[in-house]
Amino acid sequence: MELEKLTALQLGEKIKQRQVSVLDGVKTVFEQIEKQDSEVHAYLDTYREEAYKRAEEVQKGIEDGTYTSPLAGVPIAIKDNICINGKKTTCASKILENFVPQYNAEVIDRLEKAGLVIIGKTNMDEFAMGSTTETSAYGITRNPWNLEHVPGGSSGGSCAAVAAGETYLALGSDTGGSIRQPSSYCGVTGIKPTYGTVSRYGLVAYASSLDQIGPVGKDVSDCAALLEIIAGHDTKDSTSMKREDLQFSKELTGDIKGMKFGIPEEYLAEGLDPEVKASFMGVLDTLKELGAEVEFFSIKTMEYMIPAYYIIASAEASSNLERFDGVKYGFRAAEYEGLHDMYKKTRTAGFGEEVKRRIMLGSFVLSSGYYDAYYLKALRTKALIKKEFDQAFGKYDVLLAPASPFTAPKIGESLKDPLAMYLGDIYTVAVNLCGLPGITVPCGKDSKGLPIGIQMIGDCFMEKKILRAAHAYETSRGSFAVPGEGGTR
């Protein structure tokens, strides 16, 4: 039995039926990691001994009825900006190279309560700032479909691990597309939930008003099941929402007859790769065949989305990252003269180029004389963008967009031109600015064999609609594909 080809729910069912053990699934994952992670580099750290011990505990818990979740016993990987008690959490940055939190993030407690087995920490762009997982201080992650290409970012390690069979599930974080874009590049499924649906307690902040933890899996059903586990109100997070409608898996009926899908015309304009566009148009045809209504409309604020996002995100980042100064924890420069010199040398050596760039941009837009001209204007623009999306959802159930204007670039290409890298987020940032839920599902491959993903966007708290639509499309498209020739599997 090729266990690595099973989905998370399929593995969970086989464990429940006692056809395989929890340990079998965990061993399968570590075999895949041994076989290929030296090339892919999806992980920064793995917990083999702890995972084997945990597998035995969970096995007993399943047998005695302690763990009843459909995902009990399933291995999961965690992005390295989510705290695990007693385990290094570096955010892929030198400045946190030795930071070991003494508490769990809320999502980790929920995973453990449900009986999942944590395999290790995945690589990411430093402090989640990047779109390629090339800004990590600990080396780049490669795309399992083609090792010369990036996996996307900033949750590239999580998405690459799922695509390569090095885990069944993963958690990522999404600030401007950091789950949805790498899911597209790696040919997996990823969800960014409505802001406030999943607790941010224990997530190292990049931009607090935009960050959201979400699931990455092989298909929509896996992601829905994982979202049910991690979603819910948390008193430790002041932005956490009280919601009653968290039974997402029940919505996966396959029926989308009569659902209305809206496509912003501007999303198909100049800059979209012809192969990505062709694949996108094929999705529209499939949705029509399934009985859905598809219609184009216009979003006038599109040109302001990237500027508003990068001003707000960088402003919040400059504030959030000022705590990393070498005083209480993390890296500290070896030689310095006085407190201010220690700050300067620690931050100069501890932060990478992309992080420094965003801290400087954020500090600038928050500075006296520029606060009104940039930061407040960006906040007003954000409100206008939200208003346009509200109007669109008055008419449509789900909005459709490409997840990225192109497929995964070659390693080294994006970092040559940071502005071009920022513009690559054009289809994803509005979801975070407006606090909306979004999901990426695979919808094809380009001529180089690289995956293409489509993004489905819902109104606030309407995860069920996008999950229903994504599952119906996925079911008609066929099963989850894995990297073949040119990949690592």
Side-chain angles (χ1 to χ4, degrees):
M1 187 187 300
E2 293 180 301
L3 292 185
E4 73 274 11
K5 292 186 178 176
L6 298 178
T7 67
L9 284 170
Q10 287 169 346
L11 177 66
E13 183 58 28
K14 287 190 179 295
I15 290 169
K16 273 196 176 48
Q17 300 297 329
R18 302 196 183 184
Q19 295 173 15
V20 299
S21 69
V22 177
L23 195 58
D24 291 334
V26 172
K27 282 182 175 175
T28 298
V29 163
F30 279 110
E31 283 169 9
Q32 293 299 115
I33 291 170
E34 276 180 19
K35 197 185 299 181
Q36 55 200 14
D37 204 56
S38 59
E39 290 183 312
V40 175
H41 189 44
Y43 285 90
L44 291 178
D45 201 4
T46 54
Y47 314 138
R48 185 188 293 262
E49 283 184 25
E50 294 96 324
Y52 285 171
K53 186 180 176 185
R54 172 72 174 154
E56 292 176 7
E57 291 172 6
V58 172
Q59 186 70 53
K60 288 175 187 170
I62 292 171
E63 289 168 7
D64 67 22
T66 303
Y67 299 120
T68 58
S69 165
L71 293 177
V74 174
I76 186 168
I78 308 296
K79 187 176 179 179
D80 197 34
N81 59 349
I82 299 171
C83 292
I84 300 177
N85 187 2
K87 298 296 182 187
K88 270 203 303 189
T89 299
T90 69
C91 295
S93 178
K94 184 180 178 183
I95 209 158
L96 282 177
E97 61 185 0
N98 296 315
F99 174 59
V100 179
Q102 301 303 303
Y103 63 96
N104 277 338
E106 173 66 14
V107 289
I108 300 300
D109 285 339
R110 287 174 183 254
L111 292 176
E112 291 184 345
K113 190 177 177 183
L116 281 82
V117 181
I118 295 170
I119 295 299
K121 287 288 196 77
T122 56
N123 200 12
M124 57 184 280
D125 283 298
E126 184 182 2
F127 282 105
M129 298 181 194
S131 304
T132 60
T133 315
E134 291 176 283
T135 69
S136 168
Y138 306 108
I140 62 175
T141 297
R142 297 175 182 271
N143 193 316
W145 292 86
N146 187 324
L147 297 173
E148 293 179 5
H149 291 254
V150 302
S154 62
S155 306
S158 291
C159 294
V162 173
E166 295 180 11
T167 185
Y168 290 87
L169 294 165
L171 288 187
S173 66
D174 193 310
T175 307
S178 292
I179 288 173
R180 290 160 291 142
Q181 182 252 41
S183 292
S184 175
Y185 285 2
C186 291
V188 297
T189 300
I191 303 174
K192 182 260 166 193
T194 303
Y195 184 78
T197 296
V198 178
S199 172
R200 291 186 300 111
Y201 178 79
L203 171 68
V204 180
Y206 160 19
S208 306
S209 73
L210 307 172
D211 299 338
Q212 188 67 168
I213 296 170
V216 178
K218 292 182 179 181
D219 64 10
V220 177
S221 299
D222 281 0
C223 286
L226 180 53
L227 185 57
E228 287 180 353
I229 291 170
I230 62 172
H233 183 249
D234 176 21
T235 54
K236 300 185 295 297
D237 176 5
S238 61
T239 61
S240 176
M241 302 293 293
K242 288 184 179 177
R243 293 184 58 180
E244 307 298 327
D245 55 338
L246 299 176
Q247 298 301 309
F248 302 113
S249 298
K250 289 180 180 176
E251 285 297 305
L252 309 184
T253 62
D255 179 18
I256 57 169
K257 282 179 186 169
M259 278 186 82
K260 291 185 176 180
F261 290 80
I263 303 98
E265 294 165 346
E266 290 80 2
Y267 281 14
L268 302 181
E270 189 182 351
L272 182 61
D273 181 279
E275 289 185 279
V276 175
K277 185 175 182 179
S279 196
F280 181 85
M281 298 308 288
V283 174
L284 304 192
D285 293 337
T286 303
L287 294 174
K288 288 176 190 172
E289 289 167 13
L290 292 170
E293 295 178 37
V294 176
E295 189 176 298
F296 287 88
F297 72 103
S298 182
I299 280 192
K300 305 288 189 236
T301 54
M302 183 164 174
E303 64 181 296
Y304 307 116
M305 291 174 183
I306 291 287
Y309 168 77
Y310 275 99
I311 287 171
I312 293 167
S314 298
E316 294 187 18
S318 74
S319 177
N320 279 323
L321 270 60
E322 72 179 349
R323 75 192 71 173
F324 305 116
D325 54 14
V327 175
K328 292 181 180 174
Y329 47 76
F331 168 79
R332 181 187 292 183
E335 296 180 11
Y336 50 85
E337 294 177 11
L339 184 64
H340 287 283
D341 192 47
M342 189 270 284
Y343 287 158
K344 189 160 59 176
K345 287 181 176 173
T346 295
R347 290 167 69 82
T348 298
F351 289 133
E353 291 302 313
E354 184 59 37
V355 174
K356 288 177 195 169
R357 186 180 292 118
R358 298 195 196 193
I359 289 173
M360 289 169 68
L361 174 60
S363 299
F364 173 76
V365 301
L366 289 176
S367 62
S368 177
Y370 297 102
Y371 184 86
D372 290 359
Y374 292 103
Y375 184 62
L376 287 186
K377 193 175 282 186
L379 290 180
R380 286 195 289 269
T381 304
K382 175 184 175 182
L384 289 175
I385 295 167
K386 177 72 166 73
K387 188 177 178 182
E388 259 205 306
F389 273 87
D390 287 344
Q391 289 169 350
F393 286 118
K395 193 172 183 183
Y396 306 109
D397 295 300
V398 176
L399 304 185
L400 296 175
S404 172
F406 34 75
T407 53
K410 280 197 165 182
I411 288 166
E413 282 181 3
S414 297
L415 295 188
K416 291 176 191 170
D417 186 353
L419 187 58
M421 180 174 75
Y422 296 170
L423 292 172
D425 296 336
I426 186 69
Y427 303 126
T428 54
V429 295
V431 169
N432 301 79
L433 287 171
C434 301
L436 305 171
I439 184 170
T440 292
V441 287
C443 66
K445 291 184 211 162
D446 68 5
S447 54
K448 293 178 277 193
L450 293 167
I452 299 169
I454 187 170
Q455 187 184 185
M456 298 188 181
I457 302 165
D459 200 359
C460 287
F461 311 119
M462 291 296 161
E463 283 88 353
K464 288 182 179 180
K465 283 187 178 179
I466 60 172
L467 285 164
R468 188 168 130 208
H471 180 257
Y473 169 70
E474 176 187 76
T475 304
S476 68
R477 174 183 56 82
S479 61
F480 169 79
V482 296
E485 291 298 316
T488 56
R489 291 176 71 182

